[in-house]
Amino acid sequence: GGKQVSQTLKATKMDDGFKVNIAKTGKNLLNKGPQKKEVAEEQVPLDVMGNMLFLQGKLKELTDNILGPEKLRLMSRGDPDQLLIQLKAFLEGRDDTSNKIRRGLALSDASRHRPDIEHPMPMKALEVFESSRFAVLRKFPYTSQDAILQGWQKSSHEYLLASTLLAFLKFLQVESNSSRETISARAMTECMVMTCCAVLDHRHEIMAKEPEMTHANMLASATKSWSRQPEGSEAQYRQLVIKEWLEQRAEDVICIMEDNVEERSPADAPLWGTLDYKYERLKVNSPFFNFMDFVVNFLDFAYDKGYVFKPSSNPPATWSSAEVVEWFSNLRLYDYVEKIRASGITGTALLECTRVDLECGLEITDETAREKVWRGLETLRLTGNYEQAPRLERETRALITLKVPNGAVAGGKMMIQDPMGKNMTVDIPERTVDRTLKMRAGMEFRIKHTYKKFVLNKWQASKNQAVVEIGGFKGCVSAGKERTARNLWKGAISKVKMMNMLESKVNRVLRMSQTSDTVRLTALDLSWKDAVSVHDFLLVNGVCRKLELSFNPFGPRGATAIANALKDNRIVAEVRMASCQIGDDGALELAEVVRLSETLQELDVGDNALTDRSGVSLFAALARSPPVRDGLGVKIEGTHVIQRVMLYKNDFSHQTMQAWGKCMKRHGTLMVDMTDNPVGDHGIESISKVLRKYWSHERLDMRGMGYSAAGLRPLTLVLASGSWRTITSLYLSGNALGVMGATHLALVIEKNLSLMELDVSGCQLGDEGVRQMFKALEQNERLEYIDLGDNDISDQGVEYVADLLQAKGQRALSRPHLYPFSLRRVVLSTNNITSDGFGVFSAAVTIAHLRTIEVACCHIRDDGCRVLAQYLDKNRTLKVIDLSSNLLTADGIWVIAEKLRSNESLETLRVNDNRLACSGARAIASILKFNLSIREVNASGNGILTKGAAVLLKVLAQRLTPIEVHLHGNPCTRDPAYAEVEKKLEKKNPIMTIHR
């Protein structure tokens, strides 16, 4: 079987002129005369994948009607003409099922493999057989009759159905006059069949029993075939596509084999043609469908990745404007072909395009088309020999600060690296600049260095390159347009946009930011070489005050280059380098910047895997940072320029905390973010010693720092001091404090008279810990907000909270001037609270005049909504209700809706990630129709369909007050009809904002 398949494919293999044919475009089609027939054919673009999927479904339906692949094989060998007649009937809509639909009969015995079997309007589904989209498929069995019969008679059992798909691809190539699309699709599909036939032929039982092993054998065969092909050949490229398909769609390939397992009766009899308990025909699969499904899935992968459209002759970087136009034509983006032709863009400029360039420069306004072009560009960059546009260089002089290394002597030499990373030898001076001291190890000196660097303003370089490639400014006026000053100006601007595309994305941003006070280069995948470009920019720029470089893997080498520029820069005030992999080496260079810079006010180096080696140095530099100067340039003693440092999510220990404490003594106003660092109990203890005397901020953030109740104790002793009134917000979440930690916090709540916000979420407090804290809260009239989320609190713990709220509320009602309603917000999200506990809490909320109910990710369900509804009539202070992720249904929301229609205080309603469906959406619509005080509604992730969203949008369009609605994660957002309705409503009501 495998040899027969190989011989069949070799007999139909293209000649040696494949590369020549593939390089040619469909110019024969373009050069033909304007015949009426040809114009009609151009109006219906060839849909290869659509026809392949339809043919796949019809072949499975044919197999089912013949009662199984075994009888199909017997007919293909014994009576192939009769089998071909049935195939023609299925493709033309003359089969028994289609005739029953036309007569209005039931479809209980129709094949479940029929492509339109689930269509709600069967008569409407029959229009597909008259569609011009599948006209070429209806013509196929008549024109390629001999090829179909030959494939059936010579193919193995596993390859029988797939051979028909290959014959159809060959037919499409002839019908399209050998277009590049059909040639490429056929060549890659035939290559896939030849690669996998040795693994799949006569192995249908293995495919059903061992799908993972079969996939592994297919991948091994593709890898072996790829390694045997000549380097850079077209055959190796096709094998690479097959290899990537098997790697990236491994799950799809295995699922196909797992689904195509033939079920049999208890007596081991075939089930083809039998009915189920609903008296409908069973949907039976077979391992003999696998090869055909593999062909369709592979071709879908090739289209999705853009491999079908990759030219096989010239590298993309050498394409002319005509070749780029042809590439867009093969992508079937016919609406943009004329714009691309008028732009004159070449292959080099095309490869440099960004998403913004596609939308603004090439004016591809449709998001789907723009995404299709972007995927094709990514494929061209990966598979082609792509190099960036050439750059010009110029000589630059700079001042470099050096330190005499250990072992070096005055007047000697030392080896350093210049700003471009090259080694150079430097002479060490005999004495310092003021000639008072002799140079020795550790002293610093400056040298003037001249080196070559890239031109910062790439305009001239890009312009010269573009002039050569797109023919200068000739043809600025499109054909047929009047040669006016306006048209000349618009054409020149279009040409200039093409020139700008020749720049790298980093230099483009830098060039456009030369007059901006903020330069954003976040998440651009910058390397250390790109950081050198930023270095050059900072040396000459005199405007930029904020530099954002986060989420770029330029590492310590890039951080060093930027730090060297910041030492000489006198403008930059904020630098953000979070998640840049700079490590300790890069942080040490930035510490030197902190020590020397007189303008740097804020530094963010979070999530960079820093350790105590760099942490101690950073705080030492912060303590010695330069002071602020007054208007006359005189230093103000006791002040520091830098005011904020963010060191979150690193690997600092208690040693860095000790360094922070020492720094605090000299720089008490410094704001430091050390959250998510494993400092432990020793770290908290060391910082607690200096807090009372030197801390001057209202917020103390100790989240996720890995300490326990023992480490919290010295901190609480400081905070409980009655004479200390500085801190008003205390954040301790993400630490395993337990019940003992709650005991320490109770002391703070009872004694501290300035604390207004307390976050102890995720601290493992439990019911007992809550009881101790709220017992102390009875005498506290200052605390306004407490977060108890994710603390394993049950209904018992909620009762402790409710009892205190009721007691404080009743006391405030009787003596409001002496005991005001201070506590405004209690968060109980992500706990084990049921409807019973929530009912007790709801009653206390009204009495205590709380402004929020936040119980997301609990176990409230619909019963809790019914209890809540009892108290909503009396509540006049509630601003926020958060019931997200509580397994609510539409019944619970309808109960709340009846009460919220007349509520005038509620501003935010969050019911996202529940099971509201369309009925729940109508309940929300009924609330918004009468309640005009609500400003935000979150109903995302609720399974809302288009019909439910339509009711909601209709109400929103009539609202007279601003509102923000979240509907993302619902099936309706994937419906194009819904998107059109939403756009119309937003235009009709501009004060409405919908996030989808």
Side-chain angles (χ1 to χ4, degrees):
K3 293 183 179 179
Q4 292 175 354
V5 174
S6 302
Q7 291 173 359
T8 304
L9 291 177
K10 289 178 181 177
T12 59
K13 190 177 181 182
M14 291 176 289
D15 56 6
D16 295 335
F18 174 74
K19 291 188 176 182
V20 178
N21 293 333
I22 203 75
K24 295 179 180 179
T25 65
K27 293 180 180 178
N28 295 330
L29 296 174
L30 298 176
N31 293 334
K32 288 183 178 180
Q35 301 177 7
K36 292 183 180 180
K37 184 177 179 181
E38 294 176 0
V39 172
E41 289 178 354
E42 283 186 337
Q43 295 176 354
V44 184
L46 182 62
D47 186 1
V48 178
M49 272 309 301
N51 282 271
M52 289 286 285
L53 290 169
F54 191 75
L55 178 58
Q56 176 195 24
K58 286 300 176 182
L59 288 173
K60 289 186 177 182
E61 184 183 1
L62 175 63
T63 304
D64 193 5
N65 279 270
I66 295 176
L67 302 182
E70 186 62 32
K71 293 187 179 181
L72 178 70
R73 185 180 67 86
L74 295 176
M75 287 189 66
S76 65
R77 303 295 170 86
D79 193 5
D81 294 332
Q82 181 62 29
L83 184 61
L84 186 62
I85 291 174
Q86 293 193 37
L87 178 61
K88 294 177 182 178
F90 275 100
L91 295 180
E92 295 174 352
R94 295 184 289 103
D95 56 287
D96 294 340
T97 303
S98 300
N99 294 332
K100 287 183 179 180
I101 293 174
R102 294 186 180 95
R103 295 197 299 269
L105 299 179
L107 301 179
S108 58
D109 62 338
S111 172
R112 299 295 108 181
H113 290 287
R114 185 179 177 91
D116 55 358
I117 190 63
E118 301 294 340
H119 200 286
M121 303 175 63
M123 288 296 295
K124 188 76 173 178
L126 292 181
E127 295 180 0
V128 71
F129 296 105
E130 305 297 330
S131 173
S132 57
R133 177 186 177 192
F134 298 107
V136 66
L137 186 57
R138 295 191 291 270
K139 183 180 177 182
F140 162 60
Y142 295 95
T143 306
S144 301
Q145 178 174 338
D146 295 337
I148 296 173
L149 296 177
Q150 183 182 5
W152 287 348
Q153 294 172 359
K154 292 186 178 181
S155 301
S156 63
H157 199 175
E158 290 79 7
Y159 179 63
L160 178 64
L161 295 172
S163 66
T164 308
L165 298 181
L166 268 293
F168 179 62
L169 285 175
K170 182 180 179 182
F171 165 75
L172 286 180
Q173 181 181 338
V174 177
E175 283 295 305
S176 63
N177 198 14
S178 297
S179 68
R180 176 179 297 175
E181 178 183 359
T182 55
I183 290 176
S184 183
R186 177 191 168 193
M188 285 193 291
T189 307
E190 288 180 345
C191 184
M192 188 277 286
V193 171
M194 292 183 65
T195 303
C196 299
C197 63
V199 178
L200 302 180
D201 278 350
H202 304 299
R203 288 176 173 83
H204 60 276
E205 294 182 356
I206 300 297
M207 283 189 278
K209 295 179 180 179
E210 298 290 344
E212 291 84 1
M213 185 182 71
T214 304
H215 170 263
N217 292 336
M218 293 168 65
L219 182 58
S221 177
T223 305
K224 186 176 180 181
S225 301
W226 171 75
S227 61
R228 288 181 175 180
Q229 302 300 330
E231 185 76 21
S233 63
E234 190 67 29
Q236 188 187 51
Y237 165 71
R238 291 196 291 268
Q239 291 290 350
L240 177 63
V241 176
I242 299 169
K243 184 170 171 287
E244 289 186 4
W245 167 62
L246 291 170
E247 291 174 347
Q248 298 182 22
R249 292 203 176 180
E251 185 177 352
D252 291 354
V253 174
I254 294 174
C255 286
I256 287 173
M257 290 185 279
E258 290 177 345
D259 293 341
N260 289 333
V261 176
E262 183 174 345
E263 298 181 4
R264 303 181 74 86
S265 67
D268 199 28
L271 298 177
W272 297 95
T274 58
L275 304 180
D276 59 9
Y277 68 95
K278 296 181 180 179
Y279 298 100
E280 293 183 351
R281 193 184 188 99
L282 286 172
K283 184 176 182 180
V284 185
N285 292 313
S286 172
F288 299 103
F289 291 163
N290 284 335
F291 216 142
M292 176 175 62
D293 291 346
F294 290 160
V295 170
V296 175
N297 190 276
F298 168 73
L299 200 58
D300 177 71
F301 170 80
Y303 270 95
D304 184 59
K305 295 296 183 180
Y307 290 131
V308 173
F309 307 108
K310 180 185 180 301
S312 57
S313 54
N314 301 324
T318 62
W319 285 358
S320 63
S321 178
E323 288 176 308
V324 174
V325 171
E326 184 182 358
W327 184 73
F328 272 88
S329 300
N330 286 331
L331 283 175
R332 295 176 290 182
L333 299 174
Y334 307 110
D335 296 338
Y336 300 98
V337 168
E338 290 302 323
K339 291 183 179 179
I340 303 304
R341 182 180 288 110
S343 69
I345 185 173
T346 61
T348 303
L350 178 67
L351 292 173
E352 291 281 351
C353 283
T354 63
R355 293 180 184 271
V356 177
D357 296 330
L358 295 179
E359 182 178 4
C360 302
L362 297 180
E363 299 179 0
I364 303 177
T365 55
D366 183 66
E367 185 177 355
T368 304
R370 195 162 59 246
E371 188 64 26
K372 190 174 185 179
V373 174
W374 183 254
R375 289 201 305 267
L377 282 177
E378 289 181 332
T379 303
L380 293 181
R381 295 184 183 114
L382 288 174
T383 57
N385 297 323
Y386 168 59
E387 295 180 358
Q388 289 186 341
R391 305 176 179 182
L392 298 182
E393 293 182 337
R394 72 179 181 197
E395 286 190 349
T396 304
R397 288 177 292 180
L399 282 175
I400 301 178
T401 303
L402 302 175
K403 183 181 294 185
V404 180
N406 294 331
V409 296
K413 296 183 181 296
M414 59 182 291
M415 184 73 70
I416 66 168
Q417 283 189 339
D418 66 3
M420 300 304 295
K422 298 179 180 179
N423 292 332
M424 58 176 292
T425 304
V426 176
D427 294 328
I428 302 175
E430 292 284 350
R431 293 185 173 275
T432 57
V433 178
D434 56 5
R435 312 297 296 175
T436 57
L437 298 175
K438 187 176 182 180
M439 293 298 295
R440 59 178 182 273
M443 287 187 172
E444 293 182 349
F445 65 95
R446 286 190 171 190
I447 63 168
K448 291 182 179 180
H449 176 59
T450 302
Y451 64 99
K452 290 185 177 181
K453 73 168 185 178
F454 296 131
V455 178
L456 172 65
N457 191 340
K458 299 289 294 300
W459 180 265
Q460 189 63 36
S462 302
K463 177 182 176 181
N464 291 340
Q465 183 71 16
V467 168
V468 175
E469 295 192 358
I470 65 177
F473 286 93
K474 296 179 181 178
C476 286
V477 180
S478 303
K481 287 188 176 182
E482 184 180 359
R483 190 177 178 83
T484 62
R486 181 179 179 85
N487 290 338
L488 278 171
W489 177 251
K490 292 177 65 177
I493 291 177
S494 178
K495 289 278 187 176
V496 169
K497 289 180 180 179
M498 295 304 106
M499 298 173 188
N500 292 341
M501 292 180 188
L502 294 172
E503 293 181 295
S504 67
K505 55 186 178 183
V506 179
N507 283 310
R508 185 182 301 114
V509 174
L510 294 177
R511 181 174 59 81
M512 300 300 293
S513 304
Q514 290 186 90
T515 59
S516 175
D517 62 346
T518 302
V519 176
R520 293 185 175 89
L521 293 168
T522 54
L524 290 180
D525 197 25
L526 306 185
S527 64
W528 69 270
K529 294 182 179 178
D530 297 319
V532 174
S533 299
V534 180
H535 166 275
D536 299 336
F537 173 83
L538 294 175
L539 287 179
V540 297
N541 184 271
V543 179
C544 174
R545 292 188 54 81
K546 187 175 181 179
L547 181 63
E548 298 183 1
L549 298 168
S550 300
F551 309 105
N552 288 297
F554 48 71
R557 201 169 179 180
T560 302
I562 296 171
N564 290 335
L566 291 174
K567 293 174 186 177
D568 293 328
N569 189 282
R570 297 293 182 268
I571 303 296
V572 175
E574 296 182 24
V575 177
R576 302 188 182 275
M577 283 193 197
S579 301
C580 290
Q581 305 174 14
I582 65 175
D584 287 335
D585 294 336
L588 290 173
E589 295 294 334
L590 291 173
E592 190 67 9
V593 175
V594 170
R595 190 179 69 84
L596 298 175
S597 177
E598 296 185 356
T599 57
L600 187 62
Q601 299 176 8
E602 184 173 335
L603 176 64
D604 182 359
V605 287
D607 192 17
N608 274 296
L610 308 184
T611 64
D612 293 331
R613 173 171 165 248
S614 57
V616 173
S617 299
L618 275 169
F619 280 113
L622 289 167
R624 295 181 293 165
S625 58
V628 178
R629 295 179 181 269
D630 59 15
L632 299 177
V634 179
K635 296 180 180 179
I636 304 176
E637 295 297 331
T639 61
H640 295 266
V641 173
I642 192 162
Q643 295 297 317
R644 188 178 184 187
V645 177
M646 288 176 279
L647 303 171
Y648 55 89
K649 208 173 180 180
N650 285 296
D651 297 324
F652 298 134
S653 69
H654 66 281
Q655 296 181 8
T656 304
M657 294 293 283
Q658 292 173 356
W660 181 16
K662 295 178 181 178
C663 174
M664 197 183 302
K665 296 177 182 179
R666 301 185 61 177
H667 192 348
T669 60
L670 179 67
M671 291 183 288
V672 181
D673 185 354
M674 284 283 289
T675 57
D676 297 315
N677 279 287
V679 300
D681 295 340
H682 293 297
I684 301 300
E685 183 179 358
S686 61
I687 200 66
S688 300
K689 297 177 181 179
V690 295
L691 277 179
R692 181 173 181 178
K693 187 174 182 180
Y694 299 102
W695 189 263
S696 59
H697 304 293
E698 295 182 351
R699 176 189 175 106
L700 180 60
D701 197 342
M702 296 290 183
R703 294 174 295 173
M705 300 179 74
Y707 53 88
S708 63
L712 179 65
R713 185 175 183 276
L715 179 62
T716 55
L717 292 176
V718 174
L719 294 175
S721 174
S723 60
W724 194 38
R725 305 291 181 89
T726 303
I727 294 179
T728 60
S729 301
L730 180 61
Y731 294 85
L732 306 173
S733 61
N735 296 290
L737 303 182
V739 179
M740 186 58 67
T743 305
H744 299 325
L745 288 172
L747 179 63
V748 177
I749 295 174
E750 185 176 352
K751 299 294 184 180
N752 191 296
L753 302 180
S754 63
L755 193 63
M756 300 175 64
E757 298 180 2
L758 177 61
D759 182 0
V760 287
S761 58
C763 290
Q764 306 176 14
L765 300 181
D767 294 338
E768 181 61 23
V770 172
R771 185 185 70 82
Q772 296 190 24
M773 289 180 59
F774 272 73
K775 184 178 179 181
L777 190 60
E778 185 176 358
Q779 302 300 326
N780 188 302
E781 303 298 337
R782 182 69 172 171
L783 194 65
E784 296 180 357
Y785 159 69
I786 182 169
D787 190 345
L788 298 172
D790 192 17
N791 271 298
D792 199 21
I793 301 173
S794 65
D795 292 345
Q796 183 65 43
V798 176
E799 289 182 7
Y800 297 145
V801 176
D803 291 343
L804 173 73
L805 292 177
Q806 288 181 352
K808 290 176 72 69
Q810 293 172 358
R811 187 172 59 183
L813 287 173
S814 60
R815 306 176 70 179
H817 299 290
L818 187 60
Y819 301 105
F821 293 100
S822 59
L823 193 59
R824 296 299 186 182
R825 182 182 177 194
V826 178
V827 180
L828 294 172
S829 301
T830 320
N831 282 299
N832 300 323
I833 304 172
T834 65
S835 300
D836 297 335
F838 181 61
V840 177
F841 180 71
S842 300
V845 166
T846 303
I847 298 175
H849 288 201
L850 288 188
R851 295 183 180 179
T852 66
I853 294 179
E854 298 176 79
V855 287
C857 300
C858 292
H859 308 284
I860 305 302
R861 301 181 184 271
D862 293 339
D863 293 337
C865 294
R866 295 185 181 95
V867 177
L868 174 62
Q870 300 175 8
Y871 303 100
L872 288 179
D873 285 337
K874 304 175 183 178
N875 197 305
R876 296 294 181 267
T877 61
L878 200 59
K879 300 291 185 182
V880 178
I881 296 180
D882 187 354
L883 298 174
S884 56
S885 301
N886 272 296
L887 300 178
L888 305 182
T889 65
D891 295 339
I893 298 301
W894 274 109
V895 174
I896 299 176
E898 295 176 0
K899 304 296 182 179
L900 290 181
R901 293 172 186 169
S902 57
N903 187 288
E904 297 180 357
S905 63
L906 190 67
E907 297 180 355
T908 302
L909 176 63
R910 303 191 188 107
V911 289
N912 51 290
D913 298 315
N914 285 298
R915 299 179 295 186
L916 307 185
C918 295
S919 179
R922 288 192 289 270
I924 296 173
S926 68
I927 298 173
L928 300 180
K929 184 176 181 180
F930 299 98
N931 192 321
L932 300 180
S933 65
I934 295 180
R935 297 291 184 266
E936 179 186 351
V937 174
N938 191 339
S940 59
N942 273 293
I944 300 174
L945 302 178
T946 304
K947 60 181 181 180
V951 177
L952 182 59
L953 293 180
K954 185 177 180 180
V955 173
L956 292 174
Q958 300 173 357
R959 280 181 66 93
L960 301 177
T961 56
I963 188 169
E964 185 175 351
V965 181
H966 299 265
L967 291 176
H968 51 271
N970 287 299
C972 62
T973 59
R974 298 189 290 270
D975 189 351
Y978 165 81
E980 294 179 2
V981 174
E982 180 184 304
K983 290 180 181 178
K984 292 179 181 179
L985 292 179
E986 285 185 341
K987 291 181 180 179
K988 184 178 179 181
N989 190 352
I991 63 176
M992 174 183 62
T993 304
I994 300 178
H995 300 277
R996 65 183 186 91

